[in-house]
């Protein structure tokens, strides 16, 4: 069975795409900054997203919007800790913590996190060792802002090579393939055209036996494709992009609008399963 090992949870990837609900505990995220900055609001929203069908909750204490200024690890942890601890025993789905700091990853895992989602793609040499013994899932994102790559080389080639290198590094240290989920990093150091190519060509960059996440929710590529509506009005465009990514083989979808994302993923799976000759799902 195809699946993603997320700490004590094993997520089957043979059905509709798993929806990862976004929980930004920040004052400045690009589309929902400040909405869940108070811990009590964040906890309530996490429980609401679970009720709406989210298969994972992703807590982020640091905005990574274009042009962001990084906050130090201690400040990031001070935002995440009260929410993570308040959710202990209240969720029946994995909790992911979005961080690129090894010390925050270690603290989060000790406090019950099941997944570490690193937008810098575990490029910090301390990240893989920080998660090694935990059994947590590892979401490894390609981030063009932090990698030294040839911008003239095809984006699909660059992303796939990065994934292959990271899988090798993880396995060499003792992290099993089923603990790895790859994210092509839509919106992170890519042009508009490169973002579209990644959404359209999931099958070209997927690594066999590893989970694959698409995270295009409300991002600039969605807005630019449909007249640049405000971020909060980009849900229909997000559903279109994520559905196409699911058709290409994406098994997890990171979304702000969970109820709608769950329904779209279920319908997409039903339709794709009826396709003559089968699909690449699972």
């Amino acid at each position: 069975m195809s699946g993603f090992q997320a700490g004590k949870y094993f997520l089957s990837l043979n059905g509709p795409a798993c929806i990862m609900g976004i929980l930004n505990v920040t004052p400045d995220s690009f589309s929902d900054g400040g909405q869940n900055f108070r811990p009590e609001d964040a906890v309530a929203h996490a429980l609401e997203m679970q009720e709406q069908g989210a298969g994972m909750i992703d807590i982020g204490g640091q905005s990574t919007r274009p042009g962001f200024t990084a906050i130090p690890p201690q400040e990031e942890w001070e935002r995440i800790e009260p929410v993570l601890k308040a959710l202990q025993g209240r969720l029946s789905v994995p909790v992911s913590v979005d961080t690129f700091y090894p010390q925050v990853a270690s603290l989060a895992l000790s406090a019950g996190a099941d997944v570490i989602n690193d937008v810098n793609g575990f490029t910090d040499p301390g990240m893989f060792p920080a998660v090694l013994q935990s059994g947590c899932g590892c979401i490894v994102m390609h981030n063009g802002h932090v990698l030294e790559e040839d911008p003239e080389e095809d984006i699909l080639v660059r992303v796939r090579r990065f994934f292959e290198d990271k899988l090798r590094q993880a396995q060499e240290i003792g992290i099993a393939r089923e603990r790895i989920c790859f994210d092509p990093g839509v919106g992170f150091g890519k042009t508009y055209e490169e973002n579209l190519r990644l959404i359209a060509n999931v099958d070209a960059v997927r690594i066999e036996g590893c989970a694959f996440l698409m995270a295009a929710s409300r991002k600039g590529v969605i807005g630019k494709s449909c007249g640049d509506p405000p971020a909060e009005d980009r849900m229909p465009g997000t559903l279109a992009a994520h559905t196409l990514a699911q058709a290409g083989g994406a098994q997890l979808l990171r979304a702000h609008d969970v109820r709608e994302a769950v329904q779209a993923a279920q319908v997409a799976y039903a339709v794709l399963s009826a396709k003559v000759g089968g699909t690449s799902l699972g």
Side-chain angles (χ1 to χ4, degrees):
M1 175 183 291
S2 175
F4 177 46
Q5 191 67 53
K8 59 184 176 292
Y9 296 92
F10 181 81
L11 301 181
S12 171
L13 301 178
N14 294 315
C18 173
I19 303 303
M20 173 191 277
I22 298 170
L23 186 63
N24 286 322
V25 290
T26 64
D28 56 346
S29 290
F30 78 95
S31 82
D32 58 356
Q35 292 181 12
N36 299 295
F37 192 46
R38 297 193 311 163
E40 55 268 38
D41 293 335
V43 170
H45 189 49
L47 296 173
E48 178 186 35
M49 288 193 291
Q50 176 178 249
E51 185 178 345
Q52 292 174 343
M56 188 185 303
I57 304 297
D58 187 43
I59 305 174
Q62 177 148 209
S63 170
T64 51
R65 63 188 299 164
F68 81 102
T69 299
I71 62 172
Q74 185 58 38
E75 185 176 350
E76 182 180 75
W77 177 239
E78 287 171 357
R79 294 177 179 180
I80 294 169
E81 180 183 23
V83 179
L84 187 57
K85 290 189 173 179
L87 287 171
Q88 284 187 354
R90 301 180 69 182
L91 292 175
S92 57
V93 299
V95 175
S96 167
V97 167
D98 192 335
T99 186
F100 45 77
Y101 293 128
Q103 53 269 60
V104 174
S106 295
L107 289 166
L109 293 168
S110 296
D114 306 290
V115 176
I116 296 299
N117 179 12
D118 182 357
V119 300
N120 284 353
F122 284 75
T123 53
D124 186 307
M127 281 298 287
F128 275 138
V131 305
L132 175 61
Q133 300 301 326
S134 68
C136 75
C138 305
I139 299 177
V140 181
M141 196 192 84
H142 177 280
N143 187 337
H145 292 302
V146 300
L147 298 169
E148 293 184 5
E149 296 179 318
D150 179 2
E152 299 302 317
E153 189 174 35
D154 185 84
I155 188 63
L156 303 180
V157 173
R158 284 150 51 194
V159 169
R160 184 172 181 94
R161 181 170 59 240
F162 174 75
F163 289 168
E164 290 171 344
D165 288 345
K166 283 297 161 182
L167 178 59
R168 175 183 51 77
Q169 291 174 23
Q171 291 184 311
E172 284 178 353
I173 199 175
I175 296 173
R177 180 183 291 256
E178 58 267 22
R179 289 177 57 190
I180 301 295
C181 175
F182 288 114
D183 173 358
V186 166
F188 287 80
K190 283 99 176 171
T191 66
Y192 171 66
E193 291 75 16
E194 288 173 339
N195 287 321
L196 291 177
R197 278 175 57 74
L198 288 167
I199 295 169
N201 295 282
V202 170
D203 56 336
V205 295
R206 276 185 64 194
I207 302 296
E208 188 67 30
C210 294
F212 190 96
L213 167 71
M214 182 58 70
S217 186
R218 301 185 182 179
K219 288 184 177 177
V221 64
I222 305 298
K224 188 171 181 178
S225 300
C226 59
D228 281 320
E232 61 270 20
D233 293 335
R234 297 176 188 171
M235 183 264 288
T238 296
L239 294 180
H242 280 177
T243 297
L244 290 166
Q246 183 178 348
Q251 301 140 321
L252 294 94
L253 304 171
R254 186 174 181 271
H256 294 86
D257 303 290
V258 168
R259 188 187 306 278
E260 294 84 355
V262 168
Q263 184 178 106
Q266 291 171 338
V267 173
Y269 180 76
V271 172
L272 291 165
S273 297
K275 184 177 180 180
V276 175
T279 75
S280 61
L281 295 173

